[in-house]
Amino acid sequence: MKTICIKTKLKEDTIDEVRQWFQTLNDRRDEVRESMQNEGVIVESAFLDKQGDDYFLIYYMRADDVKHAYDVFNKSTLAIDHYHKDCWKKYCEGRVVLEELLALDRIKSI
């Protein structure tokens, strides 16, 4: 399994829209889980970080194959994936893949 964590700066004055974006994803969990299944994603989490006056989205994903997950997401015809892509474009600017220092799990033992 592979992990990736991305830090993305949010565009100024979009915090309310970003919260609504993720509330929509929470409200449409069944669709999100279908997308995750298609992509081979095991865990997907998003966190909000504030530094000074700037907000950042911290996005964590664990998948069998991260590249495959991105490829499937980019080609997806699911409505929830189109919504998610549109929101990324509207509210995010720039991104940095954070350096992984530790990735452990107990998934197989559960």
Side-chain angles (χ1 to χ4, degrees), residues 35 39 72-73 76-86:
S35 176
E39 298 163 356
V72 171
F73 175 73
S76 176
T77 59
L78 295 176
I80 195 67
D81 287 340
H82 285 284
Y83 172 75
H84 197 41
K85 289 175 211 175
D86 289 344

Side-chain angles (χ1 to χ4, degrees), residues 3 60 62 100 102-107:
T3 60
Y60 172 86
R62 187 154 213 188
E100 182 181 291
L102 180 67
L104 300 174
D105 69 67
R106 295 184 52 246
I107 292 171

Side-chain angles (χ1 to χ4, degrees), residues 55-76:
Y55 284 92
F56 296 85
L57 182 65
I58 309 295
Y59 212 87
Y60 172 86
M61 183 175 67
R62 187 154 213 188
D64 296 325
D65 180 336
V66 171
K67 183 185 178 318
H68 172 76
Y70 276 114
D71 289 344
V72 171
F73 175 73
N74 287 327
K75 294 174 186 172
S76 176

